[in-house]
Amino acid sequence: MVPRVMTVASTDSGGGAGVMADLKTFTAMKVFGTAVIVSLTAQNSVTVKSIYELPVSFINDQFDAIMDDIGTDSAKTGMLYSEEIISAVTEKFQQYNVTNIVVDPVMISKTNARLLKEDAVSSMVNKLMKIATLVTPNIPESEVISSIKIHSIGDARIAAKRIYEMTGASVLVKGGHSHGDISTDILYDGSEYSEFPGARIDTRNTHGTGDTLSASIASYLASGMNLQQAISLARKYIEGAIKNSFPMGKGYGSLSHFWAIK
């Protein structure tokens, strides 16, 4: 049976991030992707012009339509925007006993637009993250959640452990916002740390990187990989997508989602 993966996230009219990036990633991973869309964004490579939040009743209908018929082997979340949406999504995951949940706590876009309302952060931490298998914050998001300033790998380890203690979910602190030639992601699973280093790629074409990584991890989990394997393989995929990226628009360019497809 083809592995099934659900994205619960928002659209990107520019095609580089959000649900659009997730579905491209699912296709590249050769899994069957479904989507619960929670809001619509009018954005491109330069800016987010506006956000339209969908009614919770319609979000619930999408969940029910997928789960009553197709089901899912894993799920990932992206931009959820509000406390009301986060609460509804958490309840639906619990209702259908969804497993292998990867939470990408999207807060700020690369163009510095707020994608998670300030009053929704506590709901993200205290509700959704507590049922997650893995959360994948970047350094600024990790600092907000953990209240720890991250200047080094040691700080990232402390923040990862703090977030684990707050949520009970494994934590992957992504190192893309750090400095130096090597970017290192730090995983803490409640008992041990793992480091995933990689050469930093000098490019502006990074729109949707976080979405793509979390979608890839969820795909590998749906395919039966353990967490370590899923993260390692997903990092190889995202590195290839960045290396083969290309300009698209006037701002942050696009990843090459299909670089590995023969």
Side-chain angles (χ1 to χ4, degrees), residues 163-224:
I163 296 170
Y164 174 85
E165 291 170 346
M166 295 168 68
T167 65
S170 295
V171 182
L172 183 71
V173 175
K174 298 176 293 189
H177 286 76
S178 62
H179 301 288
D181 295 334
I182 302 297
S183 172
T184 301
D185 295 351
I186 302 295
L187 172 68
Y188 183 68
D189 64 5
S191 60
E192 62 181 8
Y193 293 96
S194 300
E195 295 187 6
F196 299 88
R200 190 176 301 280
I201 301 166
D202 185 16
T203 179
R204 188 172 168 80
N205 306 323
T206 55
H207 192 46
T209 303
D211 302 306
T212 300
L213 178 66
S214 57
S216 181
I217 294 171
S219 298
Y220 283 120
L221 290 175
S223 301

Side-chain angles (χ1 to χ4, degrees), residues 46-78:
V46 178
T47 186
V48 178
K49 291 181 177 292
S50 61
I51 298 170
Y52 179 74
E53 190 174 342
L54 292 177
V56 166
S57 60
F58 184 67
I59 294 170
N60 288 339
D61 284 346
Q62 293 178 77
F63 255 107
D64 294 338
I66 293 169
M67 297 305 297
D68 288 345
D69 179 31
I70 298 168
T72 195
D73 298 303
S74 71
K76 65 137 294 183
T77 66

Side-chain angles (χ1 to χ4, degrees), residues 112-158:
N112 292 316
R114 176 163 285 281
L115 303 180
L116 181 68
K117 294 179 179 178
E118 288 188 43
D119 62 2
V121 174
S122 62
S123 182
M124 173 77 74
V125 174
N126 295 315
K127 293 180 180 179
L128 184 57
M129 287 186 180
K130 288 191 174 179
I131 65 168
T133 302
L134 176 72
V135 296
T136 61
N138 58 31
I139 287 176
E141 292 160 351
S142 298
E143 291 179 336
V144 170
I145 297 167
S146 69
S147 299
I148 294 171
K149 283 294 182 182
I150 299 175
H151 301 290
S152 66
I153 289 178
D155 294 337
R157 284 173 167 251
I158 295 170

Side-chain angles (χ1 to χ4, degrees), residues 12-42:
D12 171 8
S13 54
V19 169
M20 283 66 171
D22 293 339
L23 293 176
K24 291 173 185 176
T25 304
F26 295 159
T27 300
M29 298 289 101
K30 298 181 180 179
V31 299
F32 186 83
T34 59
V36 173
I37 296 171
V38 302
S39 66
L40 312 176
T41 73

